[in-house]
Amino acid sequence: MSAWAVFAALATAGTPAAAVQDLEPVPTVQERTLAVQGRSVPVLCTPGVPAVVMLHDAGDGPASWRSVLERLPPGVAACAYDRTALAPRESRGIREIGWFELLEELLGVHRALSPRAGYVLVAQGEAATYARLLAASRRAPVGGLVLLEPSHESLPRRSRPGLPEEVWRSWLLDRAGPNEDGVSPAALAVRARASRLPAIPVTVVTAGLRPAEPGWDSRFLDEAARGAHEELVRGRRFGRHVPAPVSGPNLAEDAPALVADEILRVVRIADGR
């Protein structure tokens, strides 16, 4: 089980999806392949110069964003890409890399996508930390962030009283090793804690459905997630914390209309509107 999957597993399959209202007209979602440093990276895009770039959670792929892409208005082009095509593999599996090498890999894809300056990064789960580091590095012209059920460096500490000791220790051990992108979540947490975001709009969406496994205190874990997510927007002029009461952690699929609305809001703020 991946580091973030311990927390995401609190929501079980089959939870009711959010009620959504489709936006008209529905943009065409195009599938294509990018050539990035000798590798083929699958992408899903709506037509136009991308104003939005999406980073999927561990264990997912670009297809997890399709319902959101279909609900964005035609004037807001967006792309989602498959990070698994970038994973540093070797004969023994995933090779661990550092945070700077990861950012270089992601920036290579973003440059190939040719998004506009001030594009909005949308990220789910563990990838939210990548988005924060990209924005904080100032090497990517990021104009805003939309973070869905983001991982956060304070979550292990906040969650400990709500988890059985063996589950909590297993989670810490898993965080110390490389994930499917080749980076250690524990090492990234150290970097994220020291990073400082520029003055850009940041929206954080927190899932409301978090059924617990036996021995887990779901109410305590709900509060742990809310507290960690509120840290990300506290004191920010354009910070916004949005609860999604009828969605599980996979917000892009459970609540695509809500996610599309929050993306559009951040795009407009980034545009000065």
Side-chain angles (χ1 to χ4, degrees):
M1 182 177 288
S2 71
W4 183 241
V6 171
F7 212 82
L10 290 168
T12 59
T15 53
V20 298
Q21 181 175 353
D22 291 340
L23 298 174
E24 295 292 345
V26 176
T28 301
V29 178
Q30 304 167 339
E31 299 182 23
R32 55 193 178 97
T33 302
L34 281 181
V36 182
Q37 298 178 352
R39 285 178 283 190
S40 296
V41 180
V43 299
L44 291 179
C45 292
T46 55
V49 176
V52 178
V53 175
M54 298 169 165
L55 304 179
H56 60 79
D57 195 5
D60 283 330
S64 64
W65 295 106
R66 182 178 288 275
S67 293
V68 178
L69 289 167
E70 291 172 346
R71 285 166 172 80
L72 290 173
V76 180
C79 288
Y81 64 92
D82 191 352
R83 292 196 318 277
T84 61
L86 306 172
R89 303 186 184 279
E90 58 186 12
S91 58
R92 293 174 295 176
I94 299 294
R95 173 177 59 85
E96 185 167 355
I97 61 175
W99 69 273
F100 189 84
E101 188 176 350
L102 170 71
L103 295 194
E104 280 298 302
E105 295 279 9
L106 301 181
L107 283 171
V109 179
H110 296 193
R111 294 185 189 110
L113 288 170
S114 300
R116 70 178 194 184
Y119 65 93
V120 172
L121 269 179
V122 185
Q124 183 152 302
E126 204 158 68
T129 303
Y130 308 167
R132 289 168 56 199
L133 291 174
L134 281 166
S137 74
R138 312 295 178 92
R139 297 172 58 242
V142 176
L145 295 174
V146 178
L147 308 178
L148 311 177
E149 266 294 293
S151 60
H152 189 273
E153 51 273 16
S154 74
L155 265 174
R157 170 181 56 81
R158 288 176 175 274
S159 303
R160 184 173 189 177
L163 292 170
E165 184 70 15
E166 63 273 15
V167 173
W168 185 79
R169 290 189 177 278
S170 176
W171 186 15
L172 291 189
L173 182 63
D174 201 39
R175 284 171 53 81
N179 62 14
E180 66 173 17
D181 296 307
V183 291
S184 160
L188 280 182
V190 173
R191 176 59 52 178
R193 189 175 294 113
S195 68
R196 293 293 179 268
L197 288 174
I200 58 175
V202 178
T203 289
V204 178
V205 186
T206 301
L209 294 179
R210 209 179 302 277
E213 298 289 336
W216 298 17
D217 186 334
S218 61
R219 288 178 296 179
F220 194 95
L221 294 170
D222 283 344
E223 185 56 37
R226 283 194 297 271
H229 295 169
E230 287 167 358
E231 284 185 47
L232 292 169
V233 298
R234 187 174 297 132
R236 303 194 66 83
R237 181 184 177 194
F238 293 113
R240 175 174 165 89
H241 181 221
V242 180
V246 292
S247 174
N250 195 341
L251 286 150
E253 295 185 349
D254 284 0
L258 181 151
V259 173
D261 285 347
E262 293 303 324
I263 292 172
L264 184 57
R265 174 184 172 275
V266 172
V267 167
R268 285 173 172 165
I269 296 173
D271 285 348
R273 292 182 284 149

